[in-house]
Amino acid sequence: MTRDRAALGEFLRSRRDRLTPSTAGIEAFPGPRRVPGLRKEELAVLAGVSPDYYSRLEQGRQATISREVLDSLARALRLDDVERAHLHDLAAPARRAPMSTTTTQHADPGLLRLMTAVEHLPALIIGQRAEVLARNALLATVLHDLPVGSSLARFMFLDPVARERIVNWETFASTTVASLRRDLARHPHDRRLAALVDDLRAADADAERWWNDHGVRDYASVAKKIRHPLVGELEFDLEIVTAPHDPEQRLIVYTAERGSPTERMLPVLASWDADPAPTAPRASDRSGGGRA
């Protein structure tokens, strides 16, 4: 309870700090300001609660919090849908059943069939804790060989190939951290997930900084640029399909704009799957490809 309430207080404080009186649509309370954002008293007025009650929330001393109060706080803090859901999860983590941390994960059969159907595109399936449950050969050729059972999150921060290959690494990596924070609020009893977060924060200064920002994201479609060592820059939009019977599993497909240089290069890359030592494509092959 203490740790969960502490996380709630930290999240509320981080969202309060980013909101000024002017952006909240209120007159600033008189007197010198010691905080960059709203004062506790200002937020309490906006949310319709007493300053003492709100102080107890940030200090982790309020045992029960009604849904109505949470919704009022979300409106006052101008939270988006993901942040609002995160707030509710932090306030009532005990309502969620503990996630299994020992059972071996297996890719959902339906997602596997979909991945097979789009084998002309790079694709992978991730499960709990961003664990790789399946990936096709083209994903390994385009990005990196991510073995089944490996962690996509660990690859992002602990493997230097990630920074070398992913052009917009900061955007993608910060989204990964925000997604892990969202997952941990959903599954506060998952010790392996908590250990993964602790490892990333200890090993990488960027992961620590983004974690302390308290940003939250659900896994969502994003753009991704990859600097391939042989064909140059490739541009993808990542589309995500969630398993209907297991919301913890997601199929991630790297799609390319029709007629783009990336789309024209994918068949060339796919042809290398059977070649143990592919060489750089000829100039004629790369006429529509990325920059080398």
Side-chain angles (χ1 to χ4, degrees), residues 7-289:
L8 173 65
E10 291 169 358
F11 180 67
L12 287 171
R13 186 161 52 252
S14 72
R15 302 304 91 176
R16 177 169 61 85
D17 285 346
R18 72 175 185 176
L19 196 63
T20 64
S22 60
T23 55
I26 63 171
E27 290 289 334
F29 283 18
R33 304 190 69 81
R34 294 181 298 174
V35 295
L38 289 176
R39 294 174 175 173
K40 291 181 183 179
E41 297 82 359
E42 291 167 337
L43 180 55
V45 169
L46 276 172
V49 298
S50 72
D52 180 64
Y53 179 87
Y54 180 76
S55 290
R56 293 200 303 273
L57 289 180
E58 279 203 8
Q59 294 166 6
R61 297 188 294 112
Q62 183 62 35
T64 59
I65 311 167
S66 71
R67 177 171 291 274
E68 290 74 20
V69 167
L70 293 171
D71 288 339
S72 294
L73 288 168
R75 287 191 296 271
L77 290 168
R78 302 195 175 189
L79 304 185
D80 61 27
D81 290 343
V82 175
E83 291 171 323
R84 181 187 295 266
H86 183 67
L87 178 66
H88 279 269
D89 283 336
L90 290 174
R95 296 178 184 175
R96 290 188 173 271
M99 174 191 288
S100 172
T101 60
T102 57
T103 303
T104 301
Q105 300 184 74
H106 299 285
D108 177 82
L111 293 187
L112 279 173
R113 288 192 292 271
L114 282 175
M115 190 176 74
T116 301
V118 295
E119 61 183 5
H120 60 290
L121 296 172
L124 75 161
I125 299 173
I126 62 171
Q128 299 168 6
R129 299 171 289 275
E131 182 178 318
V132 177
L133 306 184
R135 59 106 177 108
N136 62 17
L138 190 52
L139 186 282
T141 301
V142 167
L143 180 60
H144 192 54
D145 184 10
L146 298 173
V148 171
S150 65
S151 167
L152 183 61
R154 289 187 185 276
F155 165 70
M156 287 297 302
F157 287 97
L158 305 182
D159 192 326
V161 172
R163 284 179 170 86
E164 294 169 3
R165 289 282 184 100
I166 303 172
V167 177
N168 56 335
W169 178 87
E170 287 199 4
T171 298
F172 202 77
S174 62
T175 299
T176 299
V177 172
S179 299
L180 289 175
R181 178 176 284 283
R182 182 77 184 94
D183 283 346
L184 192 57
R186 288 193 187 101
H187 306 290
H189 307 290
D190 187 344
R191 294 181 180 178
R192 287 176 58 190
L193 176 58
L196 168 63
V197 170
D198 289 344
D199 288 348
L200 298 181
R201 293 175 64 189
D204 189 275
D206 287 319
E208 172 71 2
R209 172 169 57 89
W210 289 323
W211 186 262
N212 290 331
D213 285 343
H214 291 270
V216 289
R217 286 279 301 272
D218 271 330
Y219 288 93
S221 301
V222 294
K224 191 171 188 177
K225 297 181 180 180
I226 295 176
R227 185 184 297 108
H228 194 277
L230 295 180
V231 303
E233 192 168 302
L234 304 169
E235 298 187 3
F236 297 97
D237 288 316
L238 271 58
E239 303 302 333
I240 298 178
V241 179
T242 301
H245 304 298
D246 186 354
E248 301 299 333
Q249 290 200 28
R250 301 167 181 87
L251 169 66
I252 304 175
V253 182
Y254 288 53
T255 66
E257 185 177 351
R258 184 176 295 277
S260 66
T262 296
E263 185 192 50
R264 292 193 291 269
M265 184 54 63
L266 284 177
V268 177
L269 292 168
S271 70
W272 293 349
D273 293 342
D275 185 349
T279 57
R282 299 184 303 273
S284 59
D285 291 333
R286 293 178 47 197
S287 59

